[in-house]
């Protein structure tokens, strides 16, 4: 199923019924709402997955930076001891 776009939702023309009391066809409204809800659910899940991947990448990056910082500090300490 393809995602429904905001443009498609806004341009969707529903069939009206009745002469004095204009009302929409309930089945058409249900179909539109189902499509919109399915699209929103898929986009929300996608955003959640992307967000957690970015968080994992950022966390891993921070961990690597700390590790490199410790290694540099150790190398500096070794160099200082070797000079004395």
């Amino acid at each position: 199923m393809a995602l429904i776009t905001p443009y498609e939702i806004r341009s969707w023309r529903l069939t009206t019924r009745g002469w004095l009391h204009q009302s929409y066809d309930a089945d058409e409204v249900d179909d539109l709402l189902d499509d919109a809800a399915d699209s929103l659910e898929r986009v929300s899940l996608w955003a959640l997955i992307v967000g957690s991947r970015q968080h994992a990448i950022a966390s891993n990056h921070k961990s690597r930076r700390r590790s490199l910082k410790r290694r540099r500090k150790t190398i500096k300490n070794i160099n200082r001891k070797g000079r004395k």
Side-chain angles (χ1 to χ4, degrees):
M1 175 194 154
L3 295 176
I4 187 170
T5 64
Y7 173 77
E8 290 172 323
I9 292 171
R10 288 186 185 103
S11 64
W12 197 300
R13 297 293 167 237
L14 298 168
T15 306
T16 55
R17 292 185 174 179
W19 183 66
L20 289 175
H21 303 287
Q22 294 284 329
S23 63
Y24 295 112
D25 181 12
D27 291 334
E28 286 184 10
V29 173
D30 287 343
D31 290 343
L32 173 62
L33 292 175
D34 286 342
D35 288 348
D38 290 343
S39 294
L40 180 61
E41 183 178 32
R42 290 177 66 192
V43 168
S44 298
L45 288 173
W46 177 81
L48 182 65
I49 290 167
V50 168
S52 43
R53 284 183 181 169
Q54 287 176 339
H55 177 72
I57 289 168
S59 297
N60 191 21
H61 180 68
K62 287 178 185 176
S63 173
R64 287 182 181 175
R65 285 181 62 194
R66 281 190 222 115
S67 176
L68 285 173
K69 204 173 198 179
R70 277 181 272 162
R71 288 178 190 167
R72 287 184 192 130
K73 200 179 231 184
T74 303
I75 290 170
K76 282 182 184 179
N77 288 339
I78 290 171
N79 286 339
R80 285 182 192 153
K81 290 178 183 177
R83 290 181 190 163
K84 291 181 180 180

